[in-house]
Amino acid sequence: MIREELLSEEKLEELAEFFKALSHPVRLKIIGILIEGKQCVKNLGELLNLSQPSVSQHLSILKARGIVGWKREGSIICYYIKDDRVKKIYELIVKEEEHGR
């Protein structure tokens, strides 16, 4: 049975925005990297072979949705997964892909 609160327009809008934030290959790659541990923008850029501004733009979308958080370590800002639902969703999808759906 579907929970009543899940069917409200407001909840559905929130879920749609949450999934929109995840609906880009670069952002999914960022999630996959951050699941392994926190990273700074420079490291993410090197791992993804993308410019720092490009990585920052994707991180800002993920931050706006509360998917990732950040912590300053000296002069460096490191990002981490803030919303545990993302880890579960990502791991479920990866597991399904590994098993051929």
Side-chain angles (χ1 to χ4, degrees):
M1 185 171 188
I2 297 176
R3 295 187 331 222
E4 191 65 36
E5 67 269 14
L6 186 62
L7 296 177
S8 77
E9 280 300 313
E10 186 177 327
K11 287 287 184 186
L12 291 172
E13 281 295 323
E14 286 175 21
L15 283 173
E17 291 300 318
F18 175 82
F19 283 110
K20 279 184 202 175
L22 297 175
S23 68
H24 192 285
V26 170
R27 292 193 287 272
L28 287 174
K29 287 178 186 177
I30 290 171
I31 295 299
I33 292 167
L34 294 180
I35 283 174
E36 300 299 318
K38 64 184 172 182
Q39 292 286 337
C40 70
V41 176
K42 182 181 179 206
N43 290 351
L44 285 168
E46 290 170 2
L47 291 167
L48 297 166
N49 198 26
L50 292 172
S51 69
Q52 185 171 338
S54 180
V55 173
S56 293
Q57 181 181 13
H58 288 290
L59 285 168
S60 113
I61 291 167
L62 295 171
K63 273 192 329 189
R65 296 287 166 249
I67 293 170
V68 300
W70 61 274
K71 182 178 181 182
R72 182 175 296 278
E73 295 183 359
S75 63
I76 298 171
I77 295 177
C78 294
Y79 290 86
Y80 61 91
I81 301 291
K82 184 176 176 182
D83 188 331
D84 286 333
R85 295 179 300 172
V86 173
K87 292 178 184 178
K88 293 175 186 173
I89 291 167
Y90 187 86
E91 289 168 359
L92 176 67
I93 292 168
V94 168
K95 185 185 284 187
E96 290 295 318
E97 285 300 312
E98 288 173 353
H99 290 82
R101 297 179 206 207

